[in-house]
Amino acid sequence: MTRALLVVMDSVGIGGAPDAAAFGDEGSNTVGHILDARGAMGLALPNLAELGLFQALAHSSERAWDDAQPRPNATWAVGREVGRGKDTPSGHWEITGLPVMTPPQVFEALESSFPTELLNALISKGDLPGILGDKHASGVPVIRELGEEHMRTGKPIVYTSADSVLQIAAHEESFGLDQLYDLCRIAREICDGYRVGRIIARPFVGTARDDFERTGNRRDFTMPPPEDTILDTMTAAGRQVMAMGKISDIYAGRGISETRKTHGNMPLFDLTLDALDELQEGGLLFANFVDFDTEFGHARDPLGYAKALEEFDERLPELFAKMAPEDLLVITADHGNDPTWSGTDHTREQVPILIKSETLDPAGLGIRPFADIGATIADYLGVPGTAHGTSVLPLLGEKQ
C-alpha cells in the first residue's frame, strides 16, 4: 500500500532560525533546552533518535550535544519556515504547501489589546453584559485571575497573545459550552474583517480560583487558507484525507475527508493507530499532537515536556509495526515553544523533518523549507502539489 502519514509534534522546535531575533526569540531551542533542563538524565528518545532527531538538532543549532546518538536509519532534515509567522496555522499551512507571506493581524498592545469597535460588536451581537480581560494573557493564569468575576457577572474572558488570536474563556456550566461556541462563531464573523487568524474557545470548570482548570473541549475557529494546500489537491483527486486531533480546525475544514478528535496525546495516539487500519490506498493520515504545546510549552514546564516526549517516543514502535512496507511517515513540527523561554508565547525556531519508509534509503538532507514536506508527500502519492516546495524524493535512493 502507498499511503502517507504526517505527524506534527506541536511546538517541538530545534532552534537555529536565522530570523529568530526579529521575533524576539534569538537563542530559543525547545528540544535543546529541554535536554539542558534534564541535565545528566538526558532524554530517552531511542526511536526519534533512530529517525534522526538529534542529527537534525545538532545541524540546526550548530551545537555539539553530549549524548552519543545512533546513526539514523531514516531520512532527516531541518525544516525552516519562510513565511512570516510562528503560530499553528502558518506552520501547518506551510507544511502543506502554502507559506503565509502576509501574516494575519496581531494585537500588539499588552493592555486594552482589542479595538473598541471589535469589542462593542462582540458585546452587542453576543448579547453580553460586557467582557473581562482585553489584554495579553496566558490561559490558566487569566482564568484564575478573572474566573470568579466571570461566573458572578456572566462576562466572558477575552484575551490574546503574540499570535494572531482572540481567545474566549468561559465556564462550561455557568456560561455553557454551546453559548461559548456560538459566541466564538460570532467573533469569527467579526474578526474576518480584521484578518485574525484564530478564534479559540477556552472552556473551564471548577468552583473557585484554586480549582479552576481548562477542559478538553477547546475549539479553534480558524481563518480559511487563502490558497489551496495539498489537502485540497488530494481531496480534489478523490483521495482520502483523515484529520486527527485539531487538524480540521486549523484548516477550517478545507481539504478534509474525515475528522477524529480526542483529548490528550496518548488517547490521540490510540486513535491514530486505529485510523491507520482504515486509511485507504493513496490516502493521507494527518495528526497533530497538541499537548506538547498547550500543556508544557506555554506552561513553561521543561520537565513535563521531557516526559511527554518520552511517552510519545515509547509509542512509536506501535506505529512502525502498523505501517505497510510502502507507507511514508513524516514526523515534524510547526514552530517552537521553548519551555525555558521568557513569556508564554511560541518561539521562532527550525523544526525536525524525519522521514521513514521501507522503500527509501536513509539520508541527511540539511536545511529544507517547510513546503518541501507537502511537495514530497504529494509526489509520493502521485497527486498535484502546490506552487511551493520541492519534493526530496529525487535525492533519495530506493532500497533494493
Side-chain angles (χ1 to χ4, degrees):
M1 300 180 78
T2 302
R3 309 175 300 177
L5 296 78
L6 176 54
V7 173
V8 175
M9 302 184 296
D10 201 309
S11 86
V12 182
I14 52 175
D19 56 358
F23 293 81
D25 298 326
E26 187 173 19
S28 61
N29 189 324
T30 299
V31 175
H33 289 153
I34 291 171
L35 272 169
D36 290 342
R38 270 293 186 87
M41 288 181 61
L43 273 172
L45 305 175
N47 298 296
L48 287 169
E50 189 174 354
L51 294 176
L53 173 64
F54 292 99
Q55 279 72 17
L57 173 63
H59 191 86
S60 179
S61 60
E62 298 182 351
R63 173 177 167 184
W65 300 94
D66 294 333
D67 289 3
Q69 299 298 337
R71 182 177 178 83
N73 189 30
T75 293
W76 64 267
V78 173
R80 175 176 293 173
E81 188 169 8
V82 301
R84 300 298 302 162
K86 58 174 181 176
D87 61 2
T88 295
S90 66
H92 281 74
W93 294 357
E94 186 164 332
I95 285 168
T96 53
L98 178 57
V100 180
M101 305 310 296
T102 302
Q105 169 77 27
V106 296
F107 302 104
E108 296 182 351
L110 298 182
E111 301 284 343
S112 300
S113 301
F114 300 104
T116 301
E117 296 81 5
L118 187 159
L119 292 180
N120 286 343
L122 184 64
I123 292 168
S124 175
K125 294 183 179 181
D127 194 22
L128 301 172
I131 64 100
L132 304 173
D134 186 16
K135 63 182 179 179
H136 280 231
S138 182
V140 173
V142 79
I143 288 168
R144 289 176 178 162
E145 175 193 353
L146 300 173
E148 291 181 356
E149 185 178 356
H150 155 70
M151 293 178 70
R152 185 176 65 253
T153 64
K155 298 177 181 179
I157 303 165
V158 183
Y159 62 104
T160 189
S161 70
D163 293 335
S164 178
V165 63
L166 183 149
Q167 305 193 65
I168 305 178
H171 197 277
E172 279 199 4
E173 296 159 359
S174 68
F175 192 84
L177 195 57
D178 288 341
Q179 184 179 358
L180 174 58
Y181 291 161
D182 288 342
L183 182 60
C184 287
R185 292 186 185 96
I186 291 168
R188 178 69 270 167
E189 293 177 3
I190 295 168
C191 287
D192 282 348
Y194 293 86
R195 295 193 69 255
V196 177
R198 283 184 295 167
I199 311 300
I200 303 180
R202 293 287 196 178
F204 66 97
V205 294
T207 58
R209 175 187 178 94
D210 291 339
D211 68 356
F212 287 143
E213 60 180 22
R214 296 192 298 191
T215 75
N217 291 320
R218 161 185 170 163
R219 287 219 23 212
D220 291 29
F221 299 80
T222 306
M223 179 174 65
E227 301 174 24
D228 283 352
T229 70
I230 65 162
L231 308 187
D232 297 298
T233 65
M234 286 196 63
T235 53
R239 302 296 183 89
Q240 183 186 28
V241 177
M242 300 183 74
M244 316 302 295
K246 68 174 188 175
I247 293 296
S248 183
D249 289 348
I250 294 168
Y251 291 86
R254 279 258 306 272
I256 307 296
S257 306
E258 181 179 344
T259 297
R260 299 186 185 183
K261 295 184 177 183
T262 187
H263 310 313
N265 275 1
M266 293 304 98
L268 183 63
F269 214 112
D270 293 334
L271 204 65
T272 299
L273 293 175
D274 291 341
L276 188 52
D277 290 333
E278 302 174 34
L279 184 62
Q280 300 168 5
E281 171 73 20
L284 171 66
L285 191 155
F286 192 179
N288 173 284
F289 287 81
V290 70
D291 278 10
F292 299 120
D293 185 53
T294 58
E295 299 299 318
F296 308 108
H298 289 300
R300 295 303 187 247
D301 180 3
L303 299 183
Y305 205 134
K307 183 178 179 183
L309 282 169
E310 291 176 339
E311 290 174 345
F312 178 86
D313 188 89
E314 287 176 1
R315 302 293 304 274
L316 284 175
E318 299 174 61
L319 183 62
F320 300 160
K322 281 219 169 190
M323 290 173 58
E326 293 185 349
D327 284 345
L328 177 77
L329 169 66
V330 182
I331 298 179
T332 189
D334 51 345
H335 50 71
N337 199 347
D338 188 334
T340 72
W341 208 243
S342 59
T344 59
D345 294 322
H346 296 151
T347 43
R348 176 76 166 187
E349 300 180 43
Q350 297 180 147
V351 303
I353 301 174
L354 312 176
I355 302 173
K356 178 180 176 63
S357 174
E358 295 302 316
T359 65
L360 302 173
D361 280 330
L365 299 180
I367 295 173
R368 314 290 304 190
F370 278 20
D372 283 7
I373 297 171
T376 299
I377 290 172
D379 186 16
Y380 194 82
L381 296 178
V383 297
T386 69
H388 307 280
T390 302
S391 172
V392 304
L393 295 184
L395 303 177
L396 304 177
E398 294 186 7
K399 287 185 179 178
Q400 300 302 317

